[in-house]
């Protein structure tokens, strides 16, 4: 069980306990998807002695079973109950891990209860090692999420794209992802023409026209796990320079993928892509890392950048997505999701990477 493995790691690292609020780590450890509790304090308290207890709003009563839990109702003070939980778990002080993204008001109240006796550290310090290595079941879920985005890509190539606005196309992509999966893993990016020079362009009213290169970046979620794909397509014949840029990015992506194997540093994958792009004279137009870990979150460890000091290992899953962005002209990005399986890189997304002219 994940929670037991986590407790072991936490104890080995010399921590007395952990406090986890809703989010990917909470889901990873409990299996409960309580992402919507908002401002209502919801906290998983774990002691390195092996005991754990959840504090949750009473309105989530039906979503939590077979787990030690104390509910609080609107109008009650949840921190009185949290204080009781600390007592039960004998957590009166010491070194505690806390969720990196915990709300400040919850954190302040926890510190008050600790009365100066808690020394807080980020949870990621211990949980990152567990989260980074996916087991077979997790990889299967990610494969499913990847299949959904591949299918959406196949389908969108049959849509009438000439004259559609970026916003409309992003909506159509989102709708189709929602029909085929549990939802989107992030708001789709549709960046056409000169807008494609912005890696995180927000789809707007610009309509797709002949000669455009269009970056499409979108993802699906399946049973908590994410996919993330980018393809760049051309509407009619694009300008020669953009075709050259496309081929450079395609080669960079391929070279980076071929570098993936167990024992290689994340930064080696990044430099394979970066070198190919720099050699073609576009180094200054590649402003971001080559990729990022992917799993319960769309951005997680290991990060595949120039400073990537993680040694790639079995079960790690990440994207490879080099890009070139030239202001006033446009841009190209090609992205696949990759898993390290049997020591080698395996592409989870498999859509065509040749330049497609519509
Ligand atoms: C959530 C993002 C928009 C997904 C996207 N595929 C992505 O991760 N990136 C696009 C440009 C670089 C990269 C990033 O690191 O943000």
């Amino acid at each position: 069980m994940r929670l037991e493995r986590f407790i072991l790691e936490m104890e080995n690292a010399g921590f007395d306990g952990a406090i986890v609020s809703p989010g990917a780590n909470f889901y990873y450890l409990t299996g409960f998807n309580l992402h919507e509790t908002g401002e209502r304090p919801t906290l998983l308290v774990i002691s390195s002695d092996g005991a754990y207890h959840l504090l949750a709003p009473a309105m989530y009563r039906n979503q939590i079973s077979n787990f030690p839990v104390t509910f609080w109702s609107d109008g009650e003070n949840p921190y009185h109950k949290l204080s009781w939980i600390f007592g039960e778990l004998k957590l009166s002080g010491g070194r505690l891990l806390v969720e990196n993204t915990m709300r400040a008001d919850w954190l302040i109240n926890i510190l008050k209860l600790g009365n100066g006796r808690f020394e807080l550290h980020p949870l990621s310090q211990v949980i990152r090692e567990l989260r980074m290595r996916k087991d077979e079941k997790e990889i299967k879920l990610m494969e499913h999420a990847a299949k959904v985005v591949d299918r959406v890509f196949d389908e969108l190539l049959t849509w009438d794209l000439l004259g559609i606005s970026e916003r409309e196309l992003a909506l159509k992509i989102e709708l189709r992802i929602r029909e085929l999966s549990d939802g989107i893993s992030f708001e789709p990016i549709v960046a056409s023409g000169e807008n494609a020079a912005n890696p995180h362009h927000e789809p707007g009213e610009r309509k797709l026209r002949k000669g455009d290169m269009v970056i499409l970046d979108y993802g699906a979620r399946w049973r908590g796990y994410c996919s993330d794909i980018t393809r760049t397509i051309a509407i009619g014949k694009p300008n020669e320079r953009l075709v050259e840029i496309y081929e450079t990015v395609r080669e960079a992506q391929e070279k980076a993928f071929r570098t993936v194997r167990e024992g290689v540093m994340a930064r080696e994958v990044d430099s394979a892509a970066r070198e190919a792009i720099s050699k073609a004279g576009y180094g200054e137009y590649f402003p971001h890392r080559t990729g990022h870990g992917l799993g319960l979150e769309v951005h997680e460890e290991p990060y595949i950048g120039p400073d990537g000091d993680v040694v790639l290992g079995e079960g790690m899953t990440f994207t490879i997505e080099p890009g070139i962005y030239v202001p006033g002209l446009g841009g190209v990005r090609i992205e696949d999701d990759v898993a390290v399986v049997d020591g080698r890189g395996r592409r989870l997304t498999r859509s065509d990477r040749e330049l497609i002219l519509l």
Side-chain angles (χ1 to χ4, degrees), residues 308-338:
D309 58 0
V310 169
V311 177
L312 298 184
E314 195 66 16
M316 290 190 186
T317 48
F318 46 87
T319 68
I320 298 187
E321 51 178 313
I324 296 178
Y325 313 90
V326 182
L329 178 69
V332 172
R333 178 165 69 248
I334 301 173
E335 170 183 26
D336 281 314
D337 302 342
V338 171

Side-chain angles (χ1 to χ4, degrees), residues 66-287:
N66 300 320
F67 205 90
V69 57
T70 295
F71 293 107
W72 65 275
S73 301
D74 287 352
E76 282 185 302
N77 184 338
Y79 297 102
H80 290 159
K81 295 199 164 171
L82 183 61
S83 170
W84 176 83
I85 293 172
F86 282 157
E88 284 295 292
L89 266 52
K90 299 186 182 55
L91 274 177
S92 53
R95 299 178 75 226
L96 293 191
L97 294 164
V98 285
E99 176 61 56
N100 296 36
T101 57
M102 188 181 293
R103 289 173 59 111
D105 54 341
W106 301 3
L107 200 57
I108 289 165
N109 279 301
I110 289 168
L111 283 169
K112 271 192 199 150
L113 289 181
N115 208 6
R117 292 186 302 267
F118 288 149
E119 184 190 303
L120 304 185
H121 296 263
L123 175 68
S124 57
Q125 227 171 292
V126 170
I127 206 163
R128 69 192 281 271
E129 293 300 327
L130 301 177
R131 288 263 315 270
M132 257 195 302
R133 287 180 187 267
K134 274 75 179 172
D135 61 24
E136 251 177 67
K137 202 173 142 209
E138 290 176 290
I139 291 182
K140 282 228 157 67
L141 297 176
M142 292 187 66
E143 269 169 345
H144 187 97
K147 278 206 173 93
V148 169
V149 291
D150 278 339
R151 176 160 169 197
V152 172
F153 184 67
D154 278 350
E155 290 185 13
L156 72 83
L157 293 177
T158 67
W159 301 345
D160 191 6
L161 298 184
L162 191 65
I164 194 172
S165 75
E166 294 174 342
R167 248 165 56 82
E168 279 174 284
L169 180 51
L171 260 169
K172 274 179 75 107
I173 291 173
E174 175 167 347
L175 182 65
R176 196 61 190 123
I177 295 172
R178 288 189 185 279
E179 282 169 353
L180 295 171
S181 68
D182 291 337
I184 52 171
S185 53
F186 60 93
E187 306 251 325
I189 294 175
V190 175
S192 64
E194 58 283 0
N195 289 343
N198 304 320
H200 281 184
H201 174 69
E202 195 177 321
E205 297 310 323
R206 189 184 183 283
K207 291 188 162 63
L208 274 51
R209 53 179 98 117
K210 283 215 166 111
D212 277 353
M213 281 281 206
V214 186
I215 293 181
L216 306 166
D217 185 347
Y218 55 91
R221 210 175 260 283
W222 183 248
R223 305 299 180 249
Y225 287 84
C226 300
S227 59
D228 179 3
I229 190 172
T230 306
R231 288 294 182 267
T232 303
I233 56 170
I235 310 291
K237 198 171 175 307
N239 124 356
E240 297 264 301
R241 185 147 179 243
L242 282 170
V243 175
E244 177 199 293
I245 288 174
Y246 189 94
E247 288 311 321
T248 304
V249 173
R250 194 163 70 91
E251 190 193 324
Q253 209 255 8
E254 185 61 33
K255 285 195 165 152
F257 172 70
R258 290 209 188 139
T259 311
V260 175
R261 92 190 105 74
E262 197 168 12
V264 154
M265 303 277 284
R267 63 167 163 264
E268 293 178 64
V269 178
D270 178 82
S271 63
R274 210 162 291 284
E275 271 168 28
I277 288 177
S278 299
K279 221 170 103 194
Y282 289 103
E284 65 177 299
Y285 300 112
F286 177 20

